[in-house]
């Protein structure tokens, strides 16, 4: 602050002429269309939350920063505008970091704003309250990290954070605001002029015409083509063009988990039920906003059929994504909306449909697999297994296609993904690229806050535990969230034993017969214990119809899960244990 300004203040000039760091942060966010802050209060940002609420922003306070961070991240995914999470220094900041890193990994735009301690003390390591060099810690875990030291730079700092989060490949951004900044004053008019409205924060990135032609040539030469839609395609909000591309091309497609519903899962071209056939037997694969990471076995290996027999076309906004794992025959770099629109134009009006031999083979495989699944889903097992419980929840979503489904767990995730059909884009939110546990309640809360739609959260009992305290938040804001805890008494299964015969439970076990439904009752929500598919259906219908915060404890047979769900093959095992049979 200038000496003149200080003098002015002490001479008690009318306060209306001054603004300060608190107000500049709020004004900068509002100027850029940010309406909601996902927050955990404390020094030095308590008043920032209060003032933001007073200034008309929605301030949603959580019980733990990781959940506030996950909420901000999924808000970014749903809206293409960065979600903002606000935390205190050191420990609060660290709690938010998992969400920030997860957002970056998943390409969700979010900004983690953390208050921080006195720079002079932090940098001399003199032991300040919650001392930590947060900027340095955040840097390797996000797309960009900035610190603002002067109130006059708040506008530009927030502008940089917004642009970094949403432009190009979206991701997490860290913004460090030292406590001292909030109290700095400047004249209102100068403050107003210091703010920056970000124009066109995520500019279109138009693909090169030659790249479009190359991709179309590869596609024209295909005998057994396949399209894979990733969550990048869902993020792009180019829904009708993506659907038009799939339908005009006649090419079978599979959606990655969070791309489900981009076209309705029951679409005749959806080949999800013949996944292993199409991955192995296709000759040309066009990836739309999907990466060839572990979720697709890196584009190689047994799952992908004969080595070298496949050509890939890849649409991605990030040039470095190309050839990350295998050779990309036709890289198509640009934003997905622009790329898909250009492909559609280039296809013309006489696009040749893929050979019937290919589409027929897929249809037959689908029919066999769907019939097999129907038998499993038809059972009315009591105690419930995954399928008998999920059949009910599949019907709930079928009857309410605009509800948002949040899903985490191991078996609870993998089985639900396969069983529950999605009908609309961006309605399925889950553990994403990392398979991280703990996104549940944060995602559920932000999903309904951002869209106004009801949420059904299907949670493994372990998965739920990572964010379960936020049922208080759900009740406090009276949100239309129905949480169904698949309670099988543990991680993967509930029948683990301690091989020593000692009193301690096995490492994957929880309290047997726990009643998660009673947790929400303590906060005024509705709790239901459901032991049969009928009870479960009645309870979920009532919750979805009433919009009342509800937690249903769905009792699942402890003996039916498999280790690590569908990815048990990634689990290292001790050769010694196997040998001794222990
Ligand atoms: C942050 C984090 N910690 C730990 C894990 C390892 N993990 C994977 S699935 C899972 C829980 C699975 O149990 P549950 O949610 O009860 O689902 P179930 O298979 O029993 O249906 C855990 C702890 C993880 N993925 N993420
Ligand atoms: Mg479990």
């Amino acid at each position: 602050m200038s000496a003149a300004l200080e003098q002015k203040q002490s001479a008690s000039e009318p306060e209306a002429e001054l603004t300060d760091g608190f107000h500049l942060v709020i004004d900068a966010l509002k100027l850029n269309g940010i309406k909601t802050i996902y927050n955990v209060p404390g020094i030095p940002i308590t008043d920032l939350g209060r003032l933001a609420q007073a200034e008309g922003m929605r301030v949603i306070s959580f019980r733990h920063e990781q959940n506030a961070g996950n909420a901000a991240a999924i808000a970014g995914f749903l809206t293409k505008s960065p979600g903002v999470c606000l935390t205190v220094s050191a420990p609060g900041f660290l709690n938010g970091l998992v969400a920030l890193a997860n957002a970056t990994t998943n390409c969700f735009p979010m900004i983690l704003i953390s208050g921080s301690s006195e720079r002079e003390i932090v940098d001399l390591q003199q032991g300040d309250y919650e001392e930590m060099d947060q900027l340095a810690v955040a840097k390797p875990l996000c797309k960009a990290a900035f610190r603002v030291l002067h109130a006059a730079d708040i506008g530009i700092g927030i502008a940089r954070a917004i642009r970094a989060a949403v432009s190009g490949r979206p991701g997490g951004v860290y913004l460090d605001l030292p406590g001292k900044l909030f109290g700095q004053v400047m004249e209102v008019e100068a403050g107003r002029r210091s703010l920056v409205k970000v124009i066109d924060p995520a500019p279109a990135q138009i693909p090169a015409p030659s790249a479009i032609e190359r991709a179309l040539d590869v596609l024209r030469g295909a005998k057994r083509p396949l399209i894979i839609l990733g969550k990048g395609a869902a993020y792009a909000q180019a829904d009708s063009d993506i659907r038009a591309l799939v339908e005009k091309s006649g090419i079978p497609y599979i959606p990655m988990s969070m791309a489900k519903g981009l076209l309705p899962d029951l679409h005749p071209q959806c080949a999800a039920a013949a996944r292993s056939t199409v991955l192995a037997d296709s000759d040309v694969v066009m990836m739309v906003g999907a990466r060839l990471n572990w979720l697709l076995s890196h584009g190689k290996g047994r799952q992908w059929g004969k080595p070298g027999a496949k050509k890939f076309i890849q649409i991605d906004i990030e040039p470095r994504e190309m050839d990350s794992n295998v050779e990309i025959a036709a890289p198509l770099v640009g934003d997905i909306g622009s790329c898909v629109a250009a492909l559609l134009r280039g296809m013309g009006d006489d696009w040749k449909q893929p050979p019937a031999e290919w589409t027929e083979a897929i249809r037959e495989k689908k029919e066999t697999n769907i019939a097999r699944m129907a038998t499993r889903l038809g059972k009315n097992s009591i105690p419930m297994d995954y399928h008998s419980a999920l059949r009910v929840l599949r019907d709930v979503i079928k009857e309410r296609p605009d509800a948002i489904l949040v899903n985490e767990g191991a078996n609870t995730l993998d089985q639900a993904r396969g069983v529950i059909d999605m009908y609309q884009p961006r309605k399925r939110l889950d553990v994403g690229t990392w398979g991280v546990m703990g996104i549940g309640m944060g995602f559920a809360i932000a999903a309904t806050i951002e869209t106004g739609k009801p949420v059904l959260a299907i949670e493994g009992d372990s998965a739920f535990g990572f964010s379960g305290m936020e049922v208080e938040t759900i009740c406090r804001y009276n949100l239309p969230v129905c949480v169904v805890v698949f309670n099988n008494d543990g991680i993967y299964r509930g029948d683990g034993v301690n091989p020593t015969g000692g009193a301690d439970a096995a490492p994957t076990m929880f309290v047997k017969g726990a009643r998660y439904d009673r947790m929400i009752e303590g906060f005024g929500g509705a709790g239901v214990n459901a032991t049969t598919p009928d009870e479960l259906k009645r309870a979920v219908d009532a919750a979805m119809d009433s919009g009342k915060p509800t937690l249903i404890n769905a009792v699942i047979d402890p003996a039916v899960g498999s280790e690590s769900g569908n990815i048990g093959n990634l689990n290292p095992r001790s050769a010694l244990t196997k040998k001794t049979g222990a």
Side-chain angles (χ1 to χ4, degrees), residues 4-82:
L5 204 52
E6 263 175 87
Q7 237 175 23
K8 222 173 173 186
Q9 242 191 328
S10 58
S12 69
E13 279 283 310
E15 240 181 61
E17 285 189 0
L18 296 179
T19 184
D20 61 12
F22 287 113
H23 290 89
L24 287 165
V25 171
I26 294 160
D27 291 347
L29 292 173
K30 284 172 67 178
L31 179 67
N32 284 288
I34 291 170
K35 298 187 175 71
T36 306
I37 295 178
Y38 298 97
N39 166 64
V40 176
I43 295 171
I45 50 88
T46 314
D47 271 355
L48 185 60
R50 285 200 186 103
L51 288 165
Q53 187 175 54
E55 297 286 332
M57 292 187 81
R58 190 111 199 248
V59 181
I60 306 293
S61 281
F62 284 70
R63 306 300 295 262
H64 190 289
E65 291 85 354
Q66 189 176 125
N67 307 319
N70 284 324
I74 211 65
F77 171 74
L78 288 167
T79 63
K80 295 183 91 173
S81 165

Side-chain angles (χ1 to χ4, degrees), residues 370-381 385-392 394-395 415 418-421 533:
I370 289 170
R372 193 177 302 148
M373 178 67 104
T375 317
R376 296 176 78 180
L377 288 171
K379 289 195 199 131
N380 208 40
S381 312
D385 57 15
Y386 287 93
H387 285 84
S388 46
L390 286 169
R391 180 193 65 229
V392 162
R394 177 196 61 179
D395 294 345
Q415 304 301 339
V419 171
I420 300 179
D421 297 313

Side-chain angles (χ1 to χ4, degrees), residues 66 98 386 408-413 434-438 459-464 466 486 488 490-493 510 561-562 564-565:
Q66 189 176 125
V98 173
Y386 287 93
E408 61 178 333
N411 293 277
T412 304
L413 174 90
W434 265 352
V436 68
M437 298 298 112
E459 302 272 313
D461 49 346
S462 165
F464 173 69
F466 287 77
F486 272 37
N488 64 346
I491 298 175
Y492 315 137
R493 295 170 70 95
F510 297 145
S562 35
S564 304

Side-chain angles (χ1 to χ4, degrees), residues 77-78 233-235 237-240 258-264 401-404 422-429:
F77 171 74
L78 288 167
Y235 175 81
Q237 298 194 16
D239 307 334
S240 53
M258 281 176 63
K260 275 166 70 80
L262 201 41
L263 285 81
D402 69 338
I404 294 180
M422 303 306 297
Y423 301 87
Q424 296 178 10
R426 294 172 297 282
K427 298 296 187 187
R428 185 187 155 84
L429 311 174

Side-chain angles (χ1 to χ4, degrees), residues 441-453:
M441 298 305 103
F443 278 17
I445 290 167
T448 186
I449 295 275
E450 298 289 335
T451 67
K453 303 291 183 199

